[in-house]
Amino acid sequence: MYTAIGYAAQSATTPLAPVKFERRSPRADDIAIEILYCGVCHSDIHQARNEWGIAVYPLMPGHEIVGKVTAVGANVTQHKVGDLVGVGCMVDSCRHCEACQANLEQYCLEGPTMTYATPDRVDGSNTMGGYSDSIVVSEHFVVRIPEKLNLASAAPILCAGITTYSPLKHYGVKAGDKVGILGMGGLGHMGIKFAKAMGAEVTLFTRSASKAEEARRQGADHVIVSTDDAQMQAAAGHFDFLLDTIPVQHDLNPYLDTLRFDGVHILVGLIEPVEPPVHAAKLVLGRRVLAGSLIGGIAETQEVLDFCAEHNITCDIEMLDIRQINEAYARMIAGDVKYRFVIDMATLKV
Ligand SMILES: [Zn+2]
Ligand SMILES: [Zn+2]
């Protein structure tokens, strides 16, 4: 064991504050990482405030981690001291179930061990995330950061990036497909970039016309203002695929109308009940699919990092001093960040 530092919430109603805590010494298959940057995800806020009812305190968020390897266990073969590496939303899984065998650890039938607020599979301790100076993770759950990528702006690829890349890849988005992206936050702006890089014709759906120019700057070919009924109706039967990154309840029915037959509407942001209800006819009459997708497996997380390096894709970020984390949460809730805060972990030590 050794003493680490970081920022954690002690309860659902207290702001994040500095803490000292114990990290385990690396086990045989573990890698110890000095954290250089960590992205700030909306899930961090939900969990810190126990909005999903599954928080464990003290709760140290952070699952968009990049850093440098400082030590490796005796059996580690994939990484060595000095390597630049990343850790995303998971740090372990059962490794033998059908999902794990298929490199889909995020769907582990026993439940993956998440990067924070989950019991460690070996010692039962509460996992502590990346708002910290260091982390110790089994090598299977550590990915390599390609040299070409800027380290800080690569961090959000570990969650926002893989979350949007994986469903586009899974459903085989290809050149010429018409893809609609719902919402342009941390996830949505990455979705635009990935769909464009896959050759799709990309349309952003947004509530505010003021985002049109910015959406085009991100690579969108078209913009539909979702509150404008005429624009929505003009898009009827148009899209092959909708990537829905909107994190709050919203009416899916008008969007389903914009899908062609066999079109797929995939949820990655919404994990609450769908309200108002989906009208089943909108699915049945066009053999349309309403689907969901959760992050991606470890192999695919490596794949998206390599894809980003190949296509010069990074996340647009605003660098954050960790001492401003609570203010950053308030700004994220107000939608005031383009598009991801990334903590510069050097600010933890000043
Ligand atoms: Zn996340
Ligand atoms: Zn499993």
Side-chain angles (χ1 to χ4, degrees), residues 98-175:
E98 191 184 349
C100 288
Q101 289 294 321
N103 294 321
L104 297 167
E105 299 89 348
Q106 74 274 34
Y107 306 124
C108 175
L109 302 185
E110 295 184 9
T113 306
M114 308 314 285
T115 304
Y116 56 82
T118 313
D120 179 82
R121 289 186 126 76
V122 176
D123 63 23
S125 63
N126 182 29
T127 55
M128 302 284 260
Y131 294 7
S132 170
D133 58 348
S134 62
I135 193 164
V136 179
V137 180
S138 168
E139 74 164 334
H140 180 75
F141 288 81
V142 176
V143 291
R144 177 181 44 79
I145 306 292
E147 256 174 49
K148 259 181 79 177
L149 290 179
N150 173 280
L151 275 186
S153 46
I157 297 168
L158 279 310
C159 173
I162 184 63
T163 297
T164 46
Y165 175 88
S166 182
L168 294 172
K169 199 69 200 302
H170 178 72
Y171 286 99
V173 169
K174 59 187 185 308

Side-chain angles (χ1 to χ4, degrees), residues 29-92:
D29 74 335
D30 276 346
I31 290 178
I33 300 164
E34 177 194 0
I35 300 175
L36 301 174
Y37 301 100
C38 184
V40 182
C41 175
H42 261 281
S43 315
D44 298 351
I45 303 178
H46 290 304
Q47 284 276 60
R49 299 180 179 178
N50 198 20
E51 288 165 356
W52 294 337
I54 53 171
V56 181
Y57 296 95
L59 190 140
M60 180 172 294
H63 58 206
E64 294 180 342
I65 299 165
V66 296
K68 193 188 288 188
V69 177
T70 54
V72 297
N75 298 341
V76 168
T77 59
Q78 303 299 312
H79 304 278
K80 60 183 191 309
V81 172
D83 284 357
L84 295 170
V85 294
V87 177
C89 302
M90 302 177 283
V91 289
D92 206 354

Side-chain angles (χ1 to χ4, degrees), residues 93-97 100 108-110:
S93 68
C94 86
R95 310 197 195 192
H96 52 69
C97 75
C100 288
C108 175
L109 302 185
E110 295 184 9

